């Protein structure tokens, strides 16, 4: 099965062969091909095919022969070692009509590392390679050569299957694959609309740029940011930019949205930009920010905390408070405090989300347990300096129509959510943020949804939601503050206070 290498075209190509029964049986998840694809593309090499084959000499040899004839480079992964199922060297030799023979340099390395070189010892399988094999020594980030080489035969490069070893070897041998004449250019467009809505646009773009720009469309049902990711790839930066401009002009207005991978550092700029936009959503964000800023006017960060139980609305509130604090105190060492009233048996996923949010926003978590009355009283004992709590609610929550932005003490639990914590002189604000709908269609850009099956998560503690009370007259169906803004799947409202 001797083969000749392919003629090189405008771009180098590669085929990847993943070897191993454990991959085909589902015992092990392949990550090597993913890593190879990313590295090779960055080096200007186009991966054209990935194949997974079992630990069988004939199957490997047949695939290697076919790939070697079609692609500039062939990279194999797996099947190198001392055991019976490590047959890659033998299979590659068969693909090129060769025998496996001990390589003197590899024999010396086997002796150095294992202390044995007897012909029948398992370690010697690492030294027996195809007759025309070359040894390629990679280098680390400091320029030092690796102790053990990568074996190659013609245009086939035989990598180990252990991901850490494979990655180290490929990163140390990039000079073997780098193409100086080819560079791939890419752009991504994130669309907050169903894929069916943009099919006509994609068809026109494909027809206009076919052969010059590759256009991909990938729905994502789990993303909080978008519904479809569009990718544009080309070897020509000019063609890429032309296609990108065409696509942006053809897409329906407002469906292309930015992807914010980390919303925390730019919270102040983005939130206040939205608040000052004059849009219906922006007006509601501005109203929520006004209540938050009033609290910051009256209380220091040491006197203030934010109610947080991992729900969507209180996560949005935390982001708004973070934005206001970030804008007011751009350089500060004092951390914002958040209050978590822990229920008896919380969902583990919710607790993990809370801990991740604490780290992401770099806030100080105050955890208390029990009913709202007992928890707040215990918190006041622990941190007597606290004077106010910012909390959020929804317009559909019980008694929401009676709330005002700033609630003072009344001494009666049934009429003020602040009374049990601050029975003398204090305040608690409730800012109802427009959770979700950043930027459209009720999809949150910075809020993680609660775990499916969990209680409906709001800023109100669970103990409040389980009490059965009749709503005050005239409250049924009213939007908080007399206004509501609706997007598909979400209702937005103005800020309000927590008062029964």
């Amino acid at each position: 099965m001797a083969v000749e290498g392919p003629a090189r075209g405008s771009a180098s190509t590669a085929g990847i062969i993943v070897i191993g029964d454990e991959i085909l049986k589902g015992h092990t998840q392949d990550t090597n091909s993913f890593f190879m694809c990313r590295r090779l593309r960055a080096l200007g090499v186009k991966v054209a095919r990935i194949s997974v084959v079992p630990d069988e000499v004939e199957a490997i040899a047949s695939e290697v022969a076919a790939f070697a004839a079609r692609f500039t480079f062939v990279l194999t992964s797996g099947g190198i070692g001392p055991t019976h199922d490590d047959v890659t060297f033998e299979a590659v030799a068969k693909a090129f009509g060769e025998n496996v023979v001990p390589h003197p340099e590899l024999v010396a390395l086997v002796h150095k590392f294992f202390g044995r070189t007897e012909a029948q010892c398992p370690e010697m399988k690492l030294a027996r390679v195809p007759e025309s094999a070359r040894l390629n020594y990679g280098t680390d980030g400091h320029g030092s050569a690796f102790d053990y080489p990568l074996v190659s035969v013609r245009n086939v490069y035989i990598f180990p299957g252990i991901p850490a070893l494979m990655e180290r070897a490929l990163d140390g041998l990039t000079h073997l694959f780098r193409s100086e004449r080819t560079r791939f250019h890419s752009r991504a467009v994130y669309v907050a609309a169903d894929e069916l809505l943009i099919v006509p646009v994609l068809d026109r773009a494909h027809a206009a740029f076919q052969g010059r720009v590759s256009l991909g469309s990938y729905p994502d049902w789990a993303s909080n940011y978008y519904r479809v990711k569009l990718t544009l790839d080309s070897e020509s930066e000019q063609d890429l930019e032309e296609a990108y401009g065409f696509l942006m002009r053809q897409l329906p207005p407002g469906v292309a949205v930015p992807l914010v991978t980390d919303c925390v550092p730019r919270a102040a700029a983005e939130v206040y930009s939205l608040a000052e936009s004059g849009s219906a959503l922006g007006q509601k964000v501005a109203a929520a920010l006004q209540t938050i800023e009033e609290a910051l006017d009256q209380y220091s960060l040491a006197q203030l905390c934010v109610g947080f139980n991992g729900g969507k609305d209180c996560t949005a509130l935390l982001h708004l408070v973070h934005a206001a604090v970030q804008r007011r105190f751009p350089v500060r060492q004092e951390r914002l405090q958040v209050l978590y009233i822990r229920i008896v048996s919380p969902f583990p996923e919710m607790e993990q989300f809370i801990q991740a949010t604490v780290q992401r926003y770099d806030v100080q978590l105050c955890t208390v347990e029990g009913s709202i009355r007992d928890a707040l009283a215990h918190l006041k004992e622990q941190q007597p300096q606290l004077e106010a709590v910012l909390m959020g609610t929804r317009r559909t929550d019980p008694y929401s129509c009676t709330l005002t932005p700033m609630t003072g003490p009344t001494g009666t639990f049934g009429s003020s959510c602040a009374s049990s914590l601050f029975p003398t002189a204090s305040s608690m604000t409730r800012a109802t943020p427009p959770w979700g709908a950043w930027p459209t269609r009720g999809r949150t850009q910075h809020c993680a949804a609660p775990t499916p099956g969990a209680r409906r998560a709001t800023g109100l503690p669970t103990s409040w939601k389980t009490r059965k009370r009749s709503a005050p007259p005239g409250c049924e169906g009213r939007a908080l503050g007399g206004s509501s803004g609706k997007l598909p799947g979400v209702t937005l409202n103005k800020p309000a206070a927590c008062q029964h």
Side-chain angles (χ1 to χ4, degrees):
M1 288 192 292
V3 295
E4 298 295 331
R8 298 198 176 199
S10 60
S12 297
T13 60
I16 297 172
I17 304 174
V18 180
I19 300 165
D21 290 346
E22 68 276 18
I23 305 296
L24 293 171
K25 294 175 181 177
H27 296 329
T28 302
Q29 183 176 2
D30 167 47
T31 60
N32 288 345
S33 60
F34 174 77
F35 183 89
M36 287 177 169
C37 285
R38 291 180 67 91
R39 284 294 188 271
L40 291 171
R41 187 167 185 82
L43 296 170
V45 179
K46 179 182 179 181
V47 176
R49 182 72 58 90
I50 299 173
S51 176
V52 182
V53 297
D55 295 309
E56 299 172 3
V57 172
E58 290 294 337
I60 299 169
S62 176
E63 202 77 341
V64 166
F67 274 43
R70 294 181 59 184
F71 308 124
T72 312
F73 305 109
V74 180
L75 288 75
T76 71
S77 167
I80 303 174
T83 62
H84 68 283
D85 55 354
D86 293 316
V87 295
T88 300
F89 286 151
E90 181 183 349
V92 172
K94 186 177 183 65
F96 292 105
E98 301 181 7
N99 297 315
V100 292
V101 295
H103 192 292
E105 200 168 329
L106 291 178
V107 172
L109 286 171
V110 167
H111 184 269
K112 175 183 176 181
F113 288 111
F114 303 106
R116 302 180 62 187
T117 56
E118 298 87 353
Q120 299 304 317
C121 73
E123 292 87 349
M124 278 296 291
K125 284 194 72 171
L126 296 170
R128 288 192 286 270
V129 295
E131 293 169 313
S132 64
R134 298 188 305 273
L135 305 186
N136 306 278
Y137 287 88
T139 56
D140 60 21
H142 303 289
S144 300
F146 292 158
D147 292 330
Y148 206 88
L150 179 85
V151 175
S152 64
V153 180
R154 304 190 191 185
N155 63 334
V156 179
Y157 297 82
I158 307 169
F159 285 85
I162 298 173
L165 297 181
M166 183 280 298
E167 293 171 11
R168 185 171 183 264
L170 183 53
D171 281 342
L173 293 166
T174 54
H175 63 280
L176 296 177
F177 307 101
R178 181 177 288 107
S179 172
E180 299 297 338
R181 64 179 180 272
T182 304
R183 181 181 176 187
F184 295 108
H185 304 273
S186 300
R187 265 188 176 270
V189 177
Y190 298 90
V191 178
D194 292 333
E195 191 176 38
L196 285 173
L197 179 67
I198 60 173
V199 165
V201 175
L202 300 183
D203 288 343
R204 291 195 294 271
H206 175 69
F209 296 94
Q210 187 174 12
R212 295 187 292 154
V213 179
S214 173
L215 174 62
S217 177
Y218 310 100
D220 190 331
W221 294 352
S223 175
N224 286 330
Y225 296 86
Y226 59 92
R227 297 191 178 183
V228 182
K229 177 183 178 181
L230 304 178
T231 60
L232 297 157
D233 296 279
S234 178
E235 295 181 37
S236 166
E237 188 173 11
Q238 181 178 347
D239 289 344
L240 179 77
E241 293 303 319
E242 184 181 344
Y244 175 78
F246 177 89
L247 196 61
M248 295 302 289
R249 290 190 300 271
Q250 294 288 318
L251 286 171
V255 301
V257 297
L259 176 66
V260 181
T261 55
D262 186 358
C263 62
V264 175
R266 291 184 48 82
E270 297 294 341
V271 168
Y272 278 87
S273 175
L274 176 59
E276 295 164 3
S277 66
S279 65
L281 175 59
Q283 293 173 22
K284 292 167 174 52
V285 172
L289 288 173
Q290 182 178 355
T291 298
I292 294 169
E293 289 168 348
E294 289 176 10
L296 293 175
D297 288 339
Q298 296 185 36
Y299 305 102
S300 67
L301 292 183
Q303 297 173 309
L304 188 66
C305 68
V306 181
F308 182 71
N309 68 356
K312 288 184 287 190
D313 53 350
C314 62
T315 305
L317 173 59
L318 174 60
H319 191 72
L320 295 180
V321 175
H322 173 78
V325 171
Q326 189 181 67
R327 188 183 197 188
R328 184 171 295 213
F329 310 110
V331 180
R332 61 182 171 90
Q333 295 182 345
E334 191 172 13
R335 291 194 296 171
L336 181 65
Q337 301 178 89
V338 296
L339 167 63
Y340 170 38
I341 301 179
R342 192 173 185 269
I343 62 175
V344 176
S345 299
F347 289 96
E349 296 84 356
M350 187 66 76
E351 297 252 297
Q352 293 169 9
F353 172 69
I354 289 172
Q355 292 300 326
T357 303
V358 166
Q359 294 182 12
R360 189 178 192 188
Y361 284 88
D362 190 25
V363 294
Q364 181 178 339
L365 181 65
C366 307
T367 302
V368 291
E369 296 183 354
S371 66
I372 181 66
R373 181 197 297 272
D374 295 338
L376 295 180
H378 185 55
L379 178 65
K380 184 60 176 176
E381 292 176 1
Q382 287 182 334
Q383 302 196 49
Q385 83 283 358
L386 285 177
E387 296 291 340
V389 179
L390 278 160
M391 305 186 80
T393 191
R394 304 181 185 184
R395 75 176 182 88
T396 54
D397 283 334
Y399 299 95
S400 63
C401 62
T402 68
L403 306 181
T404 57
M406 305 291 286
T407 299
T410 65
T412 304
F413 176 68
S415 58
S416 172
C417 61
S419 59
S420 61
L421 177 57
F422 313 117
T424 54
S426 59
S427 294
M428 177 180 291
T429 64
R430 267 193 176 261
T432 303
W435 62 265
W438 268 256
T440 57
R441 296 187 63 93
R443 287 179 161 256
T444 61
Q445 283 208 2
H446 52 260
C447 307
T451 306
R455 291 185 181 90
R456 183 176 65 88
T458 70
L460 290 173
T462 304
S463 60
W464 287 12
K465 293 198 271 295
T466 58
R467 293 171 181 258
K468 291 185 177 180
R469 297 176 182 171
S470 58
C475 285
E476 296 84 352
R478 285 174 53 187
L480 194 62
S483 67
S484 64
K486 294 184 178 180
L487 294 175
V490 66
T491 300
L492 308 179
N493 46 261
K494 289 183 177 179
C498 172
Q499 179 179 348
H500 284 202

